[in-house]
Each structure stands twice: as C-alpha cells, then as structure tokens.
Amino acid sequence: RHKGPVDVDLDCEEALALAPAFLPTTAAVFGRASKPRSHYLYCVDAPSFEKQAFVDPITRDTIIELRGDNGHQTVMPGSLHQDTGELIEWSEIPFPDVPSGVSAAALSHAARYIAIVTLIVRHMWHDGSRNEVCKLLAGVFYNLEWEVEDVKAIVQAAMNYTGDDDKTRIRTVGITFERGAAGKKVAGAPKLRQFLRNDVLVDKLLEWAGSRSATSLLRAYMLWPISASSRFLGLNISFRSLSRRLSGV
C-alpha cells in the first residue's frame, strides 16, 4: 500500500475557500501566514497514489494538486517557506493524527469538485449571464448522468463563493433534470460552447466532469461524514448518488 501520506495542496484562493466543503475531514492541516490551511494530509487505502494536478486551461495555474508517490515533496511544519521566509505550521493542533483508510477514489473525486467549481466561478459565473450558464451547466451534467443533488451542490458552492443569493439557480437545475426525465431535449455542451465561445474551457470541464473511477466511493462515504462547513454551504452529496457511481457512471 501507499506508505506516506497524500498531501492535498490548495494552490489558489478558490480552492482554499472550497476545500472544507468538499474534502474529507482531517485535523492534519497546515500552511503559512499568507496562505493558511493550504495543505491537507490523508493516508489513502490504495497500493499507490500517483500525483494528480488540476490546472486551469485558461490561466495555466494549478488549482489543486494531490501529491503522492514518485518523489513529490512537501515542506512540512517547522520549516521556513523558501520564497517568503514564513514559518510553516500546523493549523489546528501540532503533530495531529493523519486519518487512515481514506479512499483514493473519494479524494480524487473531491479534488475534481473543487476544480470544477473553480472553473465555473472564474470563467463562467459572470453578472448578467449566470442563469443561462446555470441552465447549460445543468444540461451538461444531466447528459453526463450526474445526480441532481450533486449538480445543486456544485451550483450552490459557486453561488456561495460569489455571494450570489438568487435561489432560482437551484430551481433551474431541478427543472432541467425534470425536463430530461420527461424525455424532453436538454441543451448541454454544444450550447455551452456556443455561449462561452471557449472550446478549451468546455473541453476541460467535460474532462473533469465525465467518467468517474468510483471503485470504493460507497466505502469512502462511510468514512467521510458531511462536515459542518458542508452543511453551512448547503452541500449534500447523496448516498444514492454515490451508490449509482459504483455502477460505472
């Protein structure tokens, strides 16, 4: 099995804000004064864990990175950050226990959610076009066979991050899924491409939102209680949706 902890490195403001809502609970969190709570540690239930990096296709900066095997290094608490000289220190308690048995699939899944919401708030969620974007995103996720509650969670996270309190967004998601369930046509990726005029952005969204490697998400759910911050943000990743992912969605 993978011997060392996996470091979830939050590389941008959006990822830092979204992490408590999507990542599994851990007390092993650290950072520095100018970038607190930017690293979360987990021991995963997997024989190996290759590095995963989610990079914004427009700005080319890294949103979130999962560091595991093959020599990827993280500067740990007690050291000084090379560029700023700031002390790296534990955020909650010193030398905390690192949670073990965390599903590698669930961790990757959470990172993907954070990356998707980051793309949405950076490049899509603009004043005057949010309702249309919401409708088209709902169509994209519907056509990818997402569960409606997961899509509402994505939209709610984007709303909370941007201070958007228009409750019709969530209703739009529900209506879109109802249309699809009734056999009506649901606009998706082609219309989103036309609206955004950015194929690179839509391609990356589809890549991150598409196929899921969910071999142990059901077990991960048992080890991954919804945190208080998740409830505060109105996020609810349902047991039913996780079960469905086991069927190969």
Side-chain angles (χ1 to χ4, degrees):
R1 294 189 181 280
H2 177 69
K3 294 181 179 179
V6 171
D7 172 29
V8 180
D9 183 8
L10 308 170
D11 283 306
C12 65
E13 176 185 318
E14 296 89 347
L16 287 166
L18 294 164
F22 290 108
L23 289 175
T25 301
T26 177
V29 180
F30 63 92
R32 60 184 194 273
S34 63
K35 200 176 179 184
R37 303 186 65 83
S38 54
H39 294 264
Y40 286 54
L41 297 181
Y42 304 92
C43 289
V44 297
D45 184 13
S48 62
F49 193 94
E50 297 298 323
K51 173 184 172 181
Q52 300 174 34
F54 295 83
V55 177
D56 186 319
I58 307 302
T59 66
R60 304 307 304 168
D61 65 310
T62 301
I63 296 169
I64 183 172
E65 185 177 60
L66 281 63
R67 297 175 178 173
D69 295 317
N70 293 332
H72 302 292
Q73 297 182 348
T74 295
V75 181
M76 298 296 290
S79 305
L80 297 179
H81 188 258
Q82 181 177 356
D83 296 332
T84 65
E86 294 174 331
L87 177 66
I88 299 170
E89 53 190 344
W90 295 108
S91 300
E92 297 179 8
I93 57 175
F95 307 105
D97 291 332
V98 179
S100 61
V102 175
S103 166
L107 199 58
S108 298
H109 182 71
R112 205 181 310 183
Y113 266 58
I114 291 169
I116 288 171
V117 178
T118 299
L119 286 190
I120 291 170
V121 300
R122 282 184 178 181
H123 306 300
M124 305 181 200
W125 211 251
H126 306 307
D127 290 339
S129 62
R130 290 176 178 176
N131 205 51
E132 183 66 16
V133 167
C134 180
K135 180 178 70 175
L136 294 175
L137 285 172
V140 168
F141 293 129
Y142 174 82
N143 290 326
L144 290 172
E145 299 186 347
W146 278 48
E147 292 287 337
V148 65
E149 293 304 321
D150 287 9
V151 183
K152 288 179 179 179
I154 290 288
V155 171
Q156 187 68 61
M159 290 173 61
N160 281 313
Y161 183 81
T162 58
D164 182 351
D165 60 359
D166 189 339
K167 302 303 182 185
T168 64
R169 319 278 190 223
I170 302 301
R171 290 202 295 272
T172 294
V173 173
I175 290 169
T176 301
F177 272 68
E178 289 169 4
R179 284 180 55 83
K184 298 179 180 179
K185 185 176 180 180
V186 172
K191 288 292 185 181
L192 186 63
R193 290 183 190 279
Q194 293 176 17
F195 187 80
L196 296 176
R197 298 182 180 180
N198 194 324
D199 286 346
V200 172
L201 180 61
V202 177
D203 285 344
K204 185 58 67 175
L205 175 70
L206 292 173
E207 176 188 332
W208 290 346
S211 63
R212 286 172 167 72
S213 176
T215 56
S216 57
L217 280 176
L218 184 59
R219 178 154 50 102
Y221 182 84
M222 302 300 186
L223 299 171
W224 180 9
I226 298 298
S227 65
S229 56
S230 300
R231 290 193 294 271
F232 174 77
L233 288 174
L235 307 179
N236 179 19
I237 310 304
S238 68
F239 180 86
R240 182 167 61 94
S241 70
L242 290 170
S243 299
R244 182 172 178 179
R245 280 167 176 61
L246 291 174
S247 66
V249 173

